[in-house]
Structures are given as C-alpha cells and as structure tokens.
Amino acid sequence: MPDRGSHSLFNLESLLPFLEQGYVVLTPNLRLARHIKAQWSQRQISAGLTSWTPPTVMPLDSWLLTCWQVAAEAGQLQQRLRLSPAQVAELWAQIIEDPGEGEALNLLRPEAAATLAEQARDSLLRWRVDVHARATHQLFQFDLDCDTFLGWLERFEATLHSRQLATSADCLQELLEHEPTATFPVVLVEIASLSPLQEALLSHLSKDLQVLESEGELAPGEVRAYPDRRSELQAMAAWALRLHASEPWASVGLVLPDMDADRDAMDYLLRREFGCLGGSYESLPVNFSSSITLLRAPLVRDALLVLQLGLERVAAADVIALMQSRFLHDGDSGGSVGLRLAARLQEWGQGDIAVDELRNLANRMSRRPGRESSEPEDDTSVAARLMAMAGMRELKGRRPPSGWGSVFNDVLKLWSWPAGHALDSIEYQQLETWYGLLDQFGQYDAVYGDLNYGQALGLLRRACEREAAHPQTADSNIQVLGTLEAAGLHFDYLWICGLQASRWPAPVQPNPLIPLRLQRDRDMPHSSVEREWHFAETLLLGYRRAVGTFVASYATQVDGAEELPSALLREIVNPVEVANASPVPVAWTEQLGSTTLASDCFRYCSSRECR
C-alpha cells in the first residue's frame, strides 16, 4: 500500500552521501533535477536551517555546456557564438535550399532533409566519428544520399567557421580538447546511456565519477488491453480520478510514449473526468510535463494571422478566423462589420484573396448607408486598420531580423492586440513568452542577412513552432509525462500506455544520411533492434523499481491493424479481470518462446547488413 505521507517524487536517501560531500549531481532531464533540489531544500528547512549552499544538480548536457561557457568567458577557448537549436535548424535549411556546385536535387520536403542533416551531424560529433577519415569517407560515397550529405556538411561547417559560430555539439567537442583548470566529483542519477563524447567529457572533467544504481524491488503489475487508443486514454483518466478521490495523498504518474499525438486527447479526457471544462478550466489537479508550441496557442495564432495582412495575399479562411477572434473585439472585427465580412468571404468560396481587394471590400462594408466618403467612419474599423497597414513604410524594403521585431509589435498595436477580454493565467504566460521571443528575434542576425517582410514573418512563424509554451502551474500529485520525463521519478501508482508490440520497443529508424553499417558498428541511436530493445527494457525496469503499483496497457487495434502487447511485458502479465478491457490473448503468451530466437536472428541480420 502506498505511504499516506509520500508526496516526494524522488527518494533522496541514497543520494544524501554524495550531496553532503559536494558532488555534482547529473540527471537525464530537468524535471528530475528540480525534484532533487526541492527535496534537498525541504530537508534543510526541516533541520531548522535558514540558509545553505544549494547543491549543483543539473541535466548532463546543461552542466557540460555550462563548463564550456565558463571556459569561454575566461578566455581559455576560442570566442564563438553558440547557436540555439532553432538557429541551427535555420542554418541547415539555408544550406539545403541553396544547392552547391554540382548539386541538382529536387527535394520534395527540404525542411525534413534539413532536420535529418542536423540530426546526422550531431550524432557524428557525439559518437566521435571522423567523416574525413579515408575508410569512413568511402562509406559515405557508396550511397547517394550519404554522399550528398557530405556536400551539405562541408558547406555547413565552412559557414560556421567563417561566421565564428558553433553548435552545442561543437562546444562539447572543443571542451574535450581543452585542458580543464578544475575537475569535479560527479554522480550520475538515472542516466541510462551515454554517448562516447559524453563519456570522454566526464572522464576529462571528473576527478571522481560515481553512478547511483537504481534500487528497490520490481513493483507488481498488470497488463490491460483496450479496443483502441481513445478507450485506453479514457480508462487512464477515469483511473486517475478514482485514485484522486480515494487516496488524494498518493502520487500518480500517467506516461504517454507518444506525447505529441496523445497530449491533447489526454488533456480533454482528464478535464472531462475531473469536471474542469468551462469556467473551472484552470482547476484541473494535474500537471503536464510537456508543453504545446507557441504556434498552437490561440493568442499567438491570431497575432500571426494579423501579421499576415501585411502580405500581398492572404488565405480567406485565415481572415474569417481573424474576424471571429476573441482577442480583436475592440473595433468592428468580431462585430457586425467583421462578421459580415467573414460571411461574404465564406460565400465567395475562394482559397485566398488579395489584401488590396480585402481592404476595398472592408471599406465598402464599413460605410453607413448614404455615406459617400471613401474613408471608413472610424480608425478602429477593419478597413481603417488595413489602410493604415498599407501606408506603413516599415513593411517595405529589407532589414535584418533584429529590425523586424519592433515592426511586428507596431502592426499588432495598430490592431489593439490582444484586446477584448482579460487574459487568464495561461494566456498571460503565453503573451510573456511571445514578447520574449520577439526580444530575442535579433539573434537570428547570426544566421540571416537582410529579409523582406514575408521572409521575416515566415521566420517568426517557424520560431513560434519551435518555442515551447509551458505554463507555470502548481505541482500536483497527478503527473502526465513522456517516457524520458518519467525516468527516475517515484510514484505510488504509475500507468504507461501504448505498449503495442509494433511500437514498444520503438521500430528501428536509422538516419538515411549516415551509412547503416557505420551506425550499427558505433551503436548509434535507433540503428538496431538490440539497441531499441535494451533502451525500452531499461526504462520499464526503472519504472517498476520506482513505483508502488504498475499498470501497462495497449490498444488491440491501431489505425485499423490488429495489435499484440509488447514482448517486454511478458514478466508482468497479471490475469486479473479488468472492467471494460479486453483480455490479453492466450496466443501471445504462447509466442513469447520465440522472442530469443527472433532477437538472435536480428543480431545475425545486423552483422550481415540485412536491410
């Protein structure tokens, strides 16, 4: 039975000797680091202390980059600007969209190619692969895609060098080549695997490296089967409500392996179960570890729709949505003229409309009967604002990204965005994130030269798509987490869903821009069945050692295809009858004997480069 006094999501006892001796504590994620620091602070308060030296508890890569930053500021490393992940992505997009000499590729999805190229270079650096070594270079040349990547890579690195730029992986590589002025005692907590670069850096920077092993017995568990993913998520939400009602002190974890796909559905189902829709929207006693992107926030979505009115053409559907926005209701948008304009565009039925034509249409609709003036009747009308935008010289010409942030703000002020009603707490935080993004927009000067309005707006939209809008909410005993965020946390009850055989372990997904043989030889991420199996198995064992009760579930059908539970669940099948759930198929348990044989087969195929 769970302990009624257990509110902590981490057991500090085994870590105390290291904290008391001043070890640097490194974790796989920020959430675990925060819980460890919070527990340490609570322990000091309980001991009657009013002040104390906080321990160094950080995610592994964050600490390594902090070490690089300290060395760079001390003048011990070459002064280079470290690019953010978003800036790196934009630089790769430039390289790929501007073919070099001899390149004649017509890419259907250049943005996807840029992502793969970014991931490929990062993996090569972290797995310490020298692509210029003769044997390695030849491996790339044998494959057209890999050989094309070599050309992109050469131009990308030349650009970094000429502009004195660096990615995070470059900084870590540079730190490894620098003789440290100080070394530290380090303890690793719940870090399942390390890249070769991380291993080398820890040996380089640490005078005493310890690994805190997971402790505890494996929790009892059961496997539940549901006809589809929606039913599975609904059962999780109802389970959380029952536990909250019967044991409000208990800590409950809900793990979603596919957070991107299932987060919105889980959020709605939990709000429905807990009665937190409508006016009580902010009272849901659940904390989500993941965030939505700023682009998906309605407040920011409507701001971007306003800014699109500075282009030559705009989608009619976007104008219709804008006229119905609750953030622009101080003028006639959302009023009679705005609604009539939206209705006219719906009747019109065209995909897009010239902004000049939209301005004329809005101007005609804003005039009172018998009014002959071509001017709109007041300066808050849609027509007046469109005319004011047309007269803004700031929207013409070209300027660097640092010059566009204030222009975007001026356009939004013209439309009195955000207006119409008081913002709630989450919207206010999203607004603060938006202003922070605009303030930092000038950082893209390191990547781009002068841009026109349309190019700058496209860059802003992509920046919003990459920016997390994570609300600061009070911590809760009920947590919804991704698989990595849940690592190392202790719960009284934990349920992980989506454990179909086809998705857990995850399918092998090698990077197509790195030779497959090289990826498997170096044991790179997603390159082999064995690696994915070991990773998923390690996570499951870690969960079961850190919880009181463990529930695993899967959907018997996904996208119309029949599914079986993951073979990793073979040791925790509990044939307890579960209400509203399908029984685990008997045939599944009979097939588990072939698991070892299948694994041996994959290992043999991997060694022979079966594809």
Coordinates of all heavy atoms in Angstrom, one line a residue, residues 155-231:
R155 N 29.7 22.6 -46.6 CA 29.2 23.9 -46.7 C 28.7 24.4 -45.3 O 28.9 25.6 -45.0 CB 28.1 24.1 -47.8 CG 28.7 24.0 -49.2 CD 27.7 24.4 -50.2 NE 26.7 23.4 -50.4 CZ 25.4 23.7 -50.3 NH1 25.0 24.9 -49.9 NH2 24.5 22.8 -50.5
F156 N 28.1 23.6 -44.6 CA 27.6 24.0 -43.2 C 28.8 24.3 -42.3 O 28.8 25.3 -41.7 CB 26.8 22.8 -42.6 CG 26.2 23.1 -41.3 CD1 25.0 23.7 -41.2 CD2 26.9 22.7 -40.1 CE1 24.5 24.0 -39.9 CE2 26.4 23.0 -38.9 CZ 25.1 23.7 -38.8
E157 N 29.8 23.5 -42.3 CA 31.0 23.7 -41.5 C 31.8 24.9 -41.9 O 32.3 25.7 -41.1 CB 31.8 22.5 -41.4 CG 31.1 21.3 -40.7 CD 31.9 20.1 -40.4 OE1 32.9 19.9 -41.1 OE2 31.5 19.3 -39.5
A158 N 31.8 25.1 -43.2 CA 32.5 26.3 -43.7 C 31.8 27.6 -43.3 O 32.4 28.6 -42.9 CB 32.6 26.3 -45.3
T159 N 30.5 27.6 -43.2 CA 29.7 28.7 -42.8 C 29.9 28.9 -41.3 O 30.0 30.1 -40.9 CB 28.2 28.5 -43.1 OG1 28.0 28.2 -44.5 CG2 27.3 29.7 -42.6
L160 N 29.9 27.9 -40.5 CA 30.2 28.0 -39.1 C 31.5 28.7 -38.9 O 31.7 29.6 -38.1 CB 30.2 26.7 -38.4 CG 28.8 25.9 -38.2 CD1 29.1 24.6 -37.5 CD2 27.8 26.8 -37.5
H161 N 32.5 28.3 -39.6 CA 33.9 28.8 -39.4 C 34.0 30.2 -39.8 O 34.6 31.0 -39.1 CB 34.9 27.9 -40.3 CG 36.3 28.4 -40.2 ND1 37.1 28.2 -39.1 CD2 37.1 29.1 -41.1 CE1 38.3 28.7 -39.3 NE2 38.3 29.3 -40.5
S162 N 33.4 30.6 -41.0 CA 33.5 32.0 -41.5 C 32.8 33.0 -40.6 O 33.2 34.1 -40.5 CB 33.0 32.0 -42.9 OG 31.6 31.8 -43.0
R163 N 31.7 32.5 -39.9 CA 30.9 33.4 -39.1 C 31.2 33.3 -37.6 O 30.6 33.9 -36.8 CB 29.4 33.2 -39.3 CG 29.0 33.4 -40.8 CD 27.5 33.2 -40.9 NE 27.0 33.1 -42.3 CZ 25.8 32.9 -42.7 NH1 24.8 32.7 -41.7 NH2 25.4 32.8 -43.9
Q164 N 32.2 32.5 -37.3 CA 32.6 32.2 -35.9 C 31.4 31.7 -35.0 O 31.0 32.2 -34.0 CB 33.1 33.5 -35.3 CG 34.5 33.9 -35.8 CD 35.6 32.9 -35.5 OE1 36.0 32.7 -34.4 NE2 36.1 32.3 -36.6
L165 N 30.7 30.7 -35.6 CA 29.5 30.1 -34.9 C 29.8 28.7 -34.5 O 30.8 28.1 -35.0 CB 28.3 30.1 -35.9 CG 27.9 31.5 -36.5 CD1 26.8 31.3 -37.5 CD2 27.5 32.4 -35.4
A166 N 29.0 28.2 -33.6 CA 29.2 26.8 -33.1 C 27.9 26.2 -32.7 O 27.0 27.0 -32.2 CB 30.2 26.7 -32.0
T167 N 27.7 24.9 -32.9 CA 26.5 24.2 -32.3 C 26.9 23.7 -30.9 O 28.1 23.8 -30.5 CB 26.1 23.0 -33.2 OG1 27.1 22.0 -33.1 CG2 25.9 23.5 -34.7
S168 N 25.9 23.2 -30.2 CA 26.2 22.7 -28.9 C 27.2 21.5 -28.9 O 28.1 21.5 -28.1 CB 24.9 22.2 -28.2 OG 24.0 23.3 -27.9
A169 N 27.1 20.7 -29.9 CA 28.0 19.5 -30.0 C 29.4 20.0 -30.3 O 30.4 19.5 -29.9 CB 27.5 18.6 -31.1
D170 N 29.5 21.1 -31.1 CA 30.8 21.7 -31.4 C 31.5 22.2 -30.1 O 32.7 22.0 -29.9 CB 30.7 22.9 -32.4 CG 30.4 22.4 -33.8 OD1 31.0 21.5 -34.3 OD2 29.5 23.1 -34.4
C171 N 30.7 22.8 -29.3 CA 31.2 23.3 -28.0 C 31.7 22.2 -27.1 O 32.7 22.3 -26.5 CB 30.1 24.1 -27.3 SG 29.6 25.6 -28.2
L172 N 30.9 21.1 -27.1 CA 31.3 20.0 -26.2 C 32.6 19.4 -26.8 O 33.5 19.0 -26.0 CB 30.2 18.9 -26.2 CG 28.9 19.4 -25.5 CD1 27.9 18.2 -25.5 CD2 29.1 20.0 -24.2
Q173 N 32.8 19.3 -28.1 CA 34.0 18.8 -28.7 C 35.2 19.7 -28.4 O 36.3 19.2 -28.0 CB 33.8 18.7 -30.2 CG 35.0 18.1 -31.0 CD 35.3 16.7 -30.6 OE1 34.4 15.8 -30.5 NE2 36.6 16.4 -30.4
E174 N 34.9 21.0 -28.4 CA 36.0 21.9 -28.1 C 36.4 21.8 -26.6 O 37.6 21.9 -26.3 CB 35.5 23.3 -28.4 CG 36.6 24.4 -28.4 CD 36.0 25.8 -28.8 OE1 35.1 26.2 -28.1 OE2 36.6 26.3 -29.8
L175 N 35.4 21.6 -25.8 CA 35.7 21.5 -24.3 C 36.6 20.3 -24.1 O 37.4 20.3 -23.2 CB 34.4 21.4 -23.6 CG 34.5 21.3 -22.0 CD1 35.1 22.5 -21.4 CD2 33.1 21.1 -21.5
L176 N 36.4 19.2 -24.8 CA 37.1 18.0 -24.6 C 38.6 18.2 -25.0 O 39.5 17.6 -24.4 CB 36.6 16.9 -25.5 CG 37.2 15.5 -25.4 CD1 37.1 14.9 -24.0 CD2 36.6 14.5 -26.4
E177 N 38.9 19.1 -26.0 CA 40.2 19.4 -26.4 C 41.0 20.4 -25.5 O 42.1 20.7 -25.7 CB 40.2 19.9 -27.8 CG 39.6 18.8 -28.8 CD 39.3 19.4 -30.2 OE1 39.4 20.6 -30.3 OE2 38.8 18.6 -31.0
H178 N 40.3 20.9 -24.5 CA 40.8 22.0 -23.6 C 41.2 21.3 -22.3 O 40.4 20.5 -21.7 CB 39.8 23.1 -23.4 CG 40.0 23.9 -22.2 ND1 41.0 24.8 -22.1 CD2 39.3 23.9 -21.0 CE1 41.0 25.3 -20.9 NE2 39.9 24.8 -20.2
E179 N 42.4 21.7 -21.8 CA 42.8 21.1 -20.5 C 42.1 21.8 -19.4 O 42.2 23.1 -19.2 CB 44.3 21.4 -20.4 CG 44.9 20.6 -19.2 CD 44.8 19.1 -19.3 OE1 44.9 18.6 -20.4 OE2 44.7 18.5 -18.2
P180 N 41.3 21.1 -18.6 CA 40.4 21.8 -17.6 C 41.3 22.4 -16.5 O 42.3 21.8 -16.1 CB 39.5 20.7 -17.1 CG 40.3 19.4 -17.3 CD 41.1 19.7 -18.6
T181 N 40.9 23.5 -15.9 CA 41.6 24.1 -14.8 C 41.1 23.5 -13.5 O 41.7 23.7 -12.4 CB 41.3 25.6 -14.8 OG1 39.9 25.9 -14.8 CG2 41.9 26.3 -16.0
A182 N 39.9 22.8 -13.5 CA 39.4 22.2 -12.3 C 38.6 21.0 -12.7 O 38.1 20.9 -13.8 CB 38.5 23.2 -11.5
T183 N 38.7 20.0 -11.8 CA 37.9 18.8 -12.0 C 36.9 18.6 -10.8 O 37.1 19.2 -9.8 CB 38.7 17.5 -12.1 OG1 39.6 17.5 -11.0 CG2 39.6 17.6 -13.4
F184 N 35.9 17.8 -11.0 CA 34.8 17.8 -10.0 C 34.4 16.3 -9.7 O 34.5 15.5 -10.5 CB 33.5 18.5 -10.6 CG 33.8 19.8 -11.2 CD1 34.2 20.0 -12.5 CD2 33.6 21.0 -10.4 CE1 34.5 21.3 -13.0 CE2 33.9 22.2 -10.9 CZ 34.3 22.4 -12.2
P185 N 34.0 16.1 -8.4 CA 33.4 14.8 -8.1 C 32.0 14.8 -8.7 O 31.2 15.8 -8.5 CB 33.4 14.8 -6.6 CG 33.3 16.2 -6.2 CD 34.1 17.0 -7.2
V186 N 31.6 13.8 -9.4 CA 30.3 13.7 -10.2 C 29.6 12.4 -9.9 O 30.3 11.4 -9.8 CB 30.6 13.8 -11.7 CG1 29.3 13.6 -12.5 CG2 31.2 15.2 -12.0
V187 N 28.3 12.5 -9.7 CA 27.5 11.3 -9.6 C 26.4 11.4 -10.6 O 25.7 12.4 -10.8 CB 26.9 11.1 -8.1 CG1 26.1 12.3 -7.7 CG2 26.1 9.9 -8.0
L188 N 26.2 10.3 -11.3 CA 25.1 10.2 -12.4 C 23.9 9.5 -11.8 O 24.0 8.5 -11.1 CB 25.6 9.4 -13.6 CG 26.9 9.8 -14.2 CD1 27.3 9.0 -15.4 CD2 26.8 11.3 -14.7
V189 N 22.7 10.1 -12.0 CA 21.5 9.6 -11.4 C 20.5 9.3 -12.6 O 20.2 10.2 -13.3 CB 20.8 10.6 -10.5 CG1 19.5 10.1 -9.9 CG2 21.8 11.0 -9.3
E190 N 20.2 8.0 -12.7 CA 19.1 7.5 -13.6 C 19.5 7.9 -15.1 O 18.6 8.1 -15.9 CB 17.8 8.1 -13.3 CG 17.2 7.7 -11.9 CD 16.9 6.2 -11.9 OE1 16.8 5.6 -12.9 OE2 16.8 5.7 -10.7
I191 N 20.8 7.9 -15.4 CA 21.2 8.2 -16.8 C 21.4 6.8 -17.4 O 22.4 6.1 -17.1 CB 22.4 9.1 -16.9 CG1 22.1 10.4 -16.4 CG2 22.9 9.1 -18.3 CD1 23.2 11.4 -16.4
A192 N 20.5 6.4 -18.3 CA 20.6 5.0 -18.8 C 21.7 4.8 -19.8 O 22.3 3.7 -19.9 CB 19.2 4.7 -19.5
S193 N 22.1 5.8 -20.6 CA 23.2 5.6 -21.6 C 23.9 6.9 -21.8 O 23.3 8.0 -21.6 CB 22.6 5.0 -22.9 OG 21.7 6.0 -23.5
L194 N 25.1 6.8 -22.3 CA 25.9 8.0 -22.6 C 26.5 7.8 -24.0 O 26.8 6.7 -24.4 CB 27.1 8.0 -21.6 CG 26.8 8.3 -20.1 CD1 28.1 8.0 -19.3 CD2 26.2 9.7 -19.9
S195 N 26.6 8.9 -24.7 CA 27.3 8.9 -26.0 C 28.8 8.9 -25.7 O 29.2 9.3 -24.6 CB 26.9 10.2 -26.8 OG 27.5 11.3 -26.2
P196 N 29.6 8.5 -26.7 CA 31.0 8.4 -26.5 C 31.6 9.8 -26.1 O 32.5 9.9 -25.3 CB 31.5 7.9 -27.9 CG 30.4 7.1 -28.4 CD 29.2 7.8 -27.9
L197 N 31.0 10.9 -26.7 CA 31.5 12.2 -26.4 C 31.2 12.6 -24.9 O 32.1 13.1 -24.2 CB 30.9 13.3 -27.3 CG 31.3 14.7 -27.1 CD1 32.8 14.9 -27.2 CD2 30.6 15.6 -28.1
Q198 N 30.0 12.2 -24.4 CA 29.7 12.4 -23.0 C 30.6 11.6 -22.1 O 31.1 12.1 -21.1 CB 28.2 12.1 -22.7 CG 27.2 13.0 -23.4 CD 25.8 12.6 -23.2 OE1 25.6 11.3 -23.3 NE2 24.9 13.5 -23.1
E199 N 30.9 10.4 -22.4 CA 31.8 9.5 -21.6 C 33.2 10.2 -21.6 O 33.8 10.2 -20.5 CB 31.9 8.1 -22.2 CG 30.6 7.3 -22.1 CD 30.8 5.9 -22.7 OE1 31.8 5.7 -23.4 OE2 29.9 5.1 -22.4
A200 N 33.7 10.6 -22.7 CA 35.0 11.2 -22.7 C 35.0 12.5 -21.9 O 36.0 12.7 -21.2 CB 35.4 11.5 -24.2
L201 N 34.0 13.3 -22.0 CA 34.0 14.6 -21.2 C 33.9 14.3 -19.7 O 34.5 15.0 -19.0 CB 32.8 15.4 -21.7 CG 33.0 16.2 -23.0 CD1 31.7 16.7 -23.5 CD2 34.0 17.3 -22.8
L202 N 33.1 13.3 -19.3 CA 33.0 13.0 -17.9 C 34.4 12.5 -17.4 O 34.8 12.9 -16.2 CB 31.9 12.0 -17.7 CG 30.5 12.5 -17.8 CD1 29.5 11.3 -17.8 CD2 30.1 13.5 -16.7
S203 N 35.1 11.7 -18.1 CA 36.4 11.3 -17.7 C 37.4 12.5 -17.7 O 38.3 12.5 -16.8 CB 36.9 10.2 -18.7 OG 36.1 9.1 -18.7
H204 N 37.2 13.4 -18.6 CA 38.0 14.6 -18.7 C 37.8 15.6 -17.6 O 38.8 16.2 -17.1 CB 37.7 15.3 -20.1 CG 38.7 16.3 -20.5 ND1 40.1 16.1 -20.6 CD2 38.5 17.6 -20.8 CE1 40.7 17.2 -21.0 NE2 39.8 18.1 -21.1
L205 N 36.6 15.8 -17.1 CA 36.2 16.8 -16.2 C 36.0 16.3 -14.7 O 35.9 17.1 -13.8 CB 34.9 17.5 -16.6 CG 35.0 18.3 -18.0 CD1 33.6 18.7 -18.4 CD2 36.0 19.4 -17.9
S206 N 35.9 15.0 -14.6 CA 35.6 14.5 -13.2 C 36.8 13.8 -12.6 O 37.5 13.1 -13.2 CB 34.5 13.5 -13.3 OG 34.3 12.8 -12.1
K207 N 37.1 14.2 -11.3 CA 38.1 13.5 -10.6 C 37.6 12.3 -9.8 O 38.4 11.5 -9.3 CB 38.7 14.5 -9.6 CG 37.8 15.0 -8.5 CD 38.5 16.1 -7.6 CE 37.5 16.6 -6.6 NZ 38.1 17.7 -5.8
D208 N 36.3 12.2 -9.8 CA 35.7 11.0 -9.1 C 34.3 10.8 -9.7 O 33.4 11.6 -9.4 CB 35.6 11.3 -7.6 CG 34.9 10.1 -6.8 OD1 34.8 9.0 -7.4 OD2 34.5 10.3 -5.7
L209 N 34.1 9.8 -10.5 CA 32.8 9.6 -11.2 C 32.1 8.4 -10.6 O 32.6 7.3 -10.6 CB 33.1 9.4 -12.7 CG 31.8 9.2 -13.6 CD1 30.9 10.4 -13.5 CD2 32.2 8.8 -15.0
Q210 N 30.9 8.7 -10.1 CA 30.1 7.6 -9.5 C 28.8 7.5 -10.2 O 28.3 8.5 -10.8 CB 29.8 7.9 -8.0 CG 31.1 8.1 -7.2 CD 31.8 6.8 -7.0 OE1 31.2 5.7 -6.9 NE2 33.1 6.8 -6.8
V211 N 28.2 6.3 -10.2 CA 26.9 6.1 -10.8 C 26.0 5.5 -9.7 O 26.3 4.5 -9.0 CB 27.0 5.0 -11.9 CG1 25.6 4.7 -12.5 CG2 27.9 5.5 -13.0
L212 N 24.8 6.2 -9.5 CA 23.9 5.8 -8.5 C 23.0 4.8 -9.1 O 22.2 5.1 -10.0 CB 23.0 7.0 -8.0 CG 22.1 6.8 -6.8 CD1 22.9 6.5 -5.6 CD2 21.2 8.0 -6.6
E213 N 23.1 3.6 -8.7 CA 22.3 2.5 -9.2 C 20.9 2.5 -8.7 O 20.6 2.9 -7.6 CB 22.9 1.1 -8.8 CG 24.4 0.9 -9.3 CD 24.5 0.8 -10.8 OE1 23.4 0.5 -11.4 OE2 25.6 0.9 -11.3
S214 N 20.0 2.1 -9.6 CA 18.5 2.0 -9.2 C 18.4 0.9 -8.1 O 19.0 -0.1 -8.2 CB 17.7 1.7 -10.4 OG 17.8 2.7 -11.4
E215 N 17.6 1.2 -7.1 CA 17.4 0.3 -6.1 C 15.9 0.0 -6.0 O 15.0 0.7 -6.5 CB 17.9 0.8 -4.7 CG 19.4 1.1 -4.7 CD 19.8 1.7 -3.4 OE1 19.0 2.0 -2.6 OE2 21.1 1.8 -3.2
G216 N 15.6 -1.0 -5.2 CA 14.2 -1.4 -5.0 C 13.7 -2.6 -5.7 O 14.3 -3.0 -6.7
E217 N 12.7 -3.2 -5.2 CA 12.1 -4.4 -5.8 C 11.2 -4.0 -7.0 O 10.7 -2.9 -7.0 CB 11.2 -5.2 -4.8 CG 12.0 -5.7 -3.6 CD 13.0 -6.8 -4.0 OE1 12.7 -7.5 -4.9 OE2 14.1 -6.8 -3.3
L218 N 11.1 -4.9 -7.9 CA 10.2 -4.7 -9.0 C 8.7 -4.7 -8.6 O 8.3 -5.6 -7.9 CB 10.4 -5.7 -10.1 CG 11.7 -5.8 -10.8 CD1 11.8 -6.9 -11.8 CD2 12.0 -4.4 -11.5
A219 N 8.0 -3.6 -8.9 CA 6.6 -3.5 -8.4 C 5.7 -4.5 -9.1 O 6.0 -4.8 -10.3 CB 6.1 -2.1 -8.7
P220 N 4.7 -5.0 -8.4 CA 3.7 -5.8 -9.1 C 3.0 -5.0 -10.2 O 2.9 -3.8 -10.1 CB 2.8 -6.2 -8.0 CG 2.9 -5.1 -7.0 CD 4.3 -4.7 -7.0
G221 N 2.6 -5.7 -11.2 CA 1.9 -5.0 -12.3 C 0.9 -5.9 -13.0 O 0.8 -7.1 -12.7
E222 N 0.2 -5.2 -13.9 CA -0.8 -5.9 -14.7 C -0.8 -5.3 -16.1 O -0.5 -4.1 -16.2 CB -2.2 -5.9 -14.1 CG -2.8 -4.5 -13.9 CD -4.1 -4.5 -13.2 OE1 -4.3 -5.3 -12.2 OE2 -5.0 -3.7 -13.6
V223 N -1.2 -6.1 -17.0 CA -1.4 -5.6 -18.4 C -2.8 -5.5 -18.8 O -3.6 -6.4 -18.6 CB -0.6 -6.5 -19.4 CG1 -0.9 -6.0 -20.8 CG2 0.8 -6.6 -19.1
R224 N -3.3 -4.3 -19.3 CA -4.6 -4.1 -19.7 C -4.7 -3.9 -21.2 O -3.9 -3.2 -21.7 CB -5.2 -2.9 -18.9 CG -5.2 -3.1 -17.4 CD -5.9 -1.9 -16.7 NE -5.8 -2.0 -15.3 CZ -6.5 -1.3 -14.4 NH1 -7.3 -0.4 -14.9 NH2 -6.3 -1.4 -13.1
A225 N -5.7 -4.5 -21.8 CA -5.9 -4.3 -23.2 C -7.2 -3.6 -23.5 O -8.2 -3.8 -22.9 CB -5.9 -5.7 -23.9
Y226 N -7.2 -2.6 -24.5 CA -8.4 -1.8 -24.8 C -8.6 -1.9 -26.3 O -7.6 -2.1 -27.1 CB -8.2 -0.4 -24.3 CG -8.2 -0.3 -22.8 CD1 -7.0 -0.4 -22.1 CD2 -9.4 -0.2 -22.1 CE1 -6.9 -0.4 -20.8 CE2 -9.3 -0.2 -20.7 CZ -8.1 -0.3 -20.0 OH -8.1 -0.3 -18.7
P227 N -9.8 -1.7 -26.8 CA -10.1 -1.9 -28.2 C -9.4 -0.8 -29.1 O -9.1 -1.1 -30.3 CB -11.6 -1.8 -28.3 CG -12.0 -1.1 -27.1 CD -11.0 -1.5 -26.0
D228 N -9.1 0.4 -28.6 CA -8.5 1.4 -29.3 C -7.8 2.4 -28.4 O -8.0 2.4 -27.2 CB -9.5 2.1 -30.3 CG -10.7 2.6 -29.5 OD1 -10.5 3.3 -28.4 OD2 -11.8 2.4 -29.9
R229 N -7.0 3.4 -29.0 CA -6.3 4.3 -28.1 C -7.2 5.2 -27.3 O -6.9 5.5 -26.2 CB -5.3 5.1 -29.0 CG -4.5 6.2 -28.3 CD -3.7 5.6 -27.1 NE -2.8 4.6 -27.5 CZ -1.6 4.7 -28.1 NH1 -1.2 5.9 -28.3 NH2 -0.9 3.7 -28.4
R230 N -8.3 5.6 -27.9 CA -9.2 6.5 -27.2 C -9.7 5.9 -25.9 O -9.8 6.5 -24.9 CB -10.4 6.9 -28.1 CG -11.4 7.9 -27.5 CD -10.8 9.3 -27.5 NE -11.8 10.3 -27.1 CZ -11.6 11.6 -27.1 NH1 -10.4 12.1 -27.6 NH2 -12.5 12.5 -26.8
S231 N -10.2 4.6 -26.1 CA -10.7 3.9 -24.9 C -9.6 3.7 -23.8 O -9.8 3.8 -22.6 CB -11.2 2.5 -25.3 OG -12.2 2.6 -26.3

